[in-house]
Amino acid sequence: MADSAALAPRSVSVRSGSAKTARLQAAIVFYVVAGILTFFFFGPFLWTVISSLKAPNEITTFPPIFVPERLRFENYARAWTKVPFLTFYINSLIVTGLAVTGQVISASLVAYGFARFDFPFRNTLFMLVIATLIVPWEVTIVPSFLLYKWLGWLDTLKPLIVPSFFGGSPLYIFLLRQFFLSIPRDLDEAAAIDGANSFRILWQILVPLCAPALATVAIFAFLQHWNEFIQPLIFLNTESNYTVSLGLRLFQTSPNDPGEPKEHLLMAAAVIATAPCIVLFFAAQRFFVRGIVMSGIKG
């Protein structure tokens, strides 16, 4: 009996040590895999940053030069002045800011209607809205172009902004509707007893609770409109109306200085164009975490 009692703590300690070893091995494997994936995903951006600091001949050198002989930060100044990049930046900020505002407001209204109001064929209409996700944008490009031509909107920023105020995206409507459904209806009923109408319930009760979801929609919309290339390429003709994505294209198609290498300037311009997305990514991480936590609310 004494021997078995003495062996019991030892067996417990052995099992505890084995569990710790297993957890340590699992953690090592996790971080190794995460490090490899980080290298593959972050590698192209890191290469772009390094290439933006190289001399023109160093970009085409084989085998590739990973560390330039001298860091040429003047490439950024040249890229900024080579084309009217400030104008492109302002145009992109106008388009992105107004389009994101329109999508957040209109998607919130539509999602609120589908989540909180009972009306005939509600589920059928919602399924039709979601079904538009499978319709490729290329199908509507010709009628959209003809419509904007009839309205006189071609070569203006209106085709990139105005459609965002009419329902936003089906994906954003779906995300916000699901978040609205996770909020108990008791809050709506309590506000209605106090005399609040539907719009007041939405803007003063539901919207503050859905701030993480709205921030997520705003982030996705920002990335979508800031990086949009096809629509500006189709609807914009004048260089003064170009957005950042079209401005990058000028480094490849500009007839000025046809013999001058511009790859290093293109890389610098790409880093400048990507900077707002990087800042937004680091600044908005907490909203994703809050969204995951708040999604656990039960009705």
Side-chain angles (χ1 to χ4, degrees):
M1 294 295 293
D3 292 339
S4 60
L7 291 174
R10 184 179 302 175
S11 61
V12 172
S13 63
V14 170
R15 287 195 299 269
S16 177
S18 301
K20 290 182 180 178
T21 302
R23 287 195 297 269
L24 179 61
Q25 292 175 348
I28 292 174
V29 172
F30 172 78
Y31 285 111
V32 169
V33 173
I36 295 174
L37 293 177
T38 300
F39 173 78
F40 279 104
F41 283 104
F42 190 69
F45 176 74
L46 182 61
W47 179 256
T48 301
V49 175
I50 294 174
S51 300
S52 68
L53 300 172
K54 291 180 179 180
N57 61 309
E58 291 178 326
I59 293 183
T60 57
T61 300
F62 186 83
I65 299 175
F66 291 95
V67 180
E69 181 179 352
R70 181 175 68 86
L71 299 179
R72 301 176 182 271
F73 291 98
E74 63 270 16
N75 289 346
Y76 288 88
R78 290 192 59 197
W80 187 264
T81 56
K82 183 74 175 178
V83 296
F85 225 79
L86 178 60
T87 301
F88 303 155
Y89 239 75
I90 293 175
N91 291 338
S92 289
L93 288 174
I94 293 173
V95 170
T96 304
L98 294 178
V100 168
T101 301
Q103 285 196 317
V104 170
I105 294 176
S106 58
S108 299
L109 291 171
V110 177
Y112 178 61
F114 280 122
R116 286 302 200 249
F117 291 95
D118 294 323
F119 52 88
F121 307 108
R122 182 185 68 170
N123 294 331
T124 303
L125 292 175
F126 180 70
M127 293 303 298
L128 288 176
V129 171
I130 299 302
T132 59
L133 285 171
I134 66 176
V135 179
W137 184 80
E138 291 79 4
V139 173
T140 62
I141 189 171
V142 172
S144 297
F145 183 87
L146 295 176
L147 173 63
Y148 298 143
K149 181 180 180 181
W150 178 73
L151 293 173
W153 287 4
L154 293 183
D155 201 22
T156 68
L157 302 180
K158 294 178 182 178
L160 308 179
I161 298 173
V162 175
S164 300
F165 285 85
F166 293 90
S169 167
L171 175 61
Y172 304 151
I173 294 173
F174 172 77
L175 292 176
L176 292 176
R177 174 186 177 270
Q178 298 306 112
F179 212 94
F180 284 142
L181 290 176
S182 68
I183 299 176
R185 283 181 175 265
D186 297 343
L187 299 176
D188 302 39
E189 295 172 359
I193 292 174
D194 291 337
N197 56 28
S198 299
F199 283 100
R200 188 174 179 184
I201 292 173
L202 172 62
W203 299 120
Q204 295 188 2
I205 306 296
L206 298 183
V207 166
L209 293 176
C210 293
L214 294 174
T216 302
V217 169
I219 292 166
F220 288 155
F222 179 92
L223 296 177
Q224 171 193 348
H225 291 286
W226 183 267
N227 297 317
E228 181 63 50
F229 177 75
I230 298 298
Q231 292 193 51
L233 180 65
I234 294 174
F235 299 134
L236 302 180
N237 300 320
T238 306
E239 187 174 302
S240 60
N241 292 327
Y242 281 5
T243 57
V244 167
S245 57
L246 290 183
L248 293 177
R249 182 66 175 168
L250 283 180
F251 287 94
Q252 297 176 317
T253 60
S254 176
N256 299 328
D257 303 324
E260 180 187 1
K262 291 179 285 213
E263 288 78 8
H264 59 305
L265 301 182
L266 175 61
M267 295 297 178
V271 174
I272 296 174
T274 311
C277 300
I278 298 174
V279 173
L280 181 66
F281 171 78
F282 286 106
Q285 291 186 74
R286 61 189 182 95
F287 291 106
F288 289 102
V289 175
R290 289 181 58 193
I292 294 174
V293 173
M294 293 187 63
S295 63
I297 297 176
K298 301 297 182 180

